[in-house]
Amino acid sequence: MSVRTVNEIFYQIVERQLDRVMLYKQTVKWIPISSRELYRDAVGIARALTGWGLGKGDRVAILSENRPEWATAEFGTLLLGGVIVPIYPTLTAEQSGYVIADSGARVAFVSTVEQFKKVQAIQGSKLEKVVVMDYIGIPDAIPMHRLMHGGPTARDAEFDARALAIGPDEMATIIYTSGTTGTPKG
């Protein structure tokens, strides 16, 4: 079978039923994430986004360093047909705000309290919700782990069929240039 979409890649990973598809480091120990956990977490994200009224074509920003939650947010968004807007984590609040506003992102996933503060400072965007990967204890921040762990414990055939129906001609990501010749362009 030829792979045509990122969602098909996701389902190939899930179908393998491996005990370790990603790793993350906790202090000095590497912790595995299984394909079953990845499915639960990504579908949990997709269901939360759907519950907030997001769907096919809606933009979701990710402002984070490399980490498993980044991939989980991306998969969850793509599974419902959303469009990822990655934002480089060293950009300033003003630069990040420009990308969020210009792209029309409605939700932002951020990694840390520092990234949350950048997004909080943004004015004039369509941003409705901010999901934080680290637990930061701020009431306006939605903890990502709650969304992930709200996913299904078993496969959801109806959800899977909808996710696999998203074709290769659908937009998946808007990548912004560095802006060396003016403001960044998506």
Side-chain angles (χ1 to χ4, degrees):
M1 175 175 128
S2 68
V3 177
R4 303 171 317 128
T5 67
V6 176
N7 286 356
E8 289 175 359
I9 293 170
F10 174 81
Y11 281 100
Q12 283 189 358
I13 293 166
V14 170
E15 294 296 330
R16 291 184 185 149
Q17 298 181 2
L18 298 173
D19 292 333
R20 184 176 70 184
V21 294
M22 287 193 282
L23 292 169
Y24 66 96
K25 195 169 186 178
Q26 192 174 59
T27 314
V28 295
K29 183 179 177 186
W30 287 95
I31 309 296
I33 297 171
S34 70
S35 44
R36 179 178 291 242
E37 291 168 311
L38 177 61
Y39 179 84
R40 176 201 66 203
D41 296 349
V43 175
I45 295 298
R47 286 180 175 175
L49 293 172
T50 301
W52 296 334
L54 275 77
K56 199 173 192 178
D58 285 322
R59 274 63 166 170
V60 175
I62 302 177
L63 176 58
S64 173
E65 303 74 16
N66 291 334
R67 56 193 290 170
E69 295 92 345
W70 202 109
T72 303
E74 178 174 33
F75 281 132
T77 302
L78 295 175
L79 288 171
L80 64 91
V83 178
I84 297 297
V85 181
I87 302 174
Y88 200 67
T90 58
L91 292 181
T92 65
E94 181 181 38
Q95 293 166 322
S96 300
Y98 172 81
V99 172
I100 287 171
D102 187 68
S103 70
R106 294 179 53 199
V107 172
F109 285 84
V110 300
S111 55
T112 62
V113 69
E114 291 80 15
Q115 303 298 5
F116 178 78
K117 287 178 182 176
K118 280 185 196 178
V119 173
Q120 255 190 331
I122 296 169
Q123 301 295 321
S125 74
K126 295 180 182 178
L127 202 57
E128 299 166 17
K129 306 236 185 244
V130 181
V131 180
V132 183
M133 297 171 188
D134 286 350
Y135 179 75
I136 61 172
I138 297 174
D140 293 339
I142 300 164
M144 185 173 175
H145 71 275
R146 283 194 206 149
L147 307 180
M148 294 186 329
H149 296 165
T153 56
R155 294 286 295 273
D156 180 337
E158 185 179 317
F159 177 88
D160 294 349
R162 281 193 314 270
L164 286 168
I166 296 166
D169 294 331
E170 302 295 330
M171 186 183 319
T173 304
I174 300 174
I175 298 174
Y176 278 76
T177 65
S178 61
T180 55
T181 60
T183 59
K185 292 154 188 68

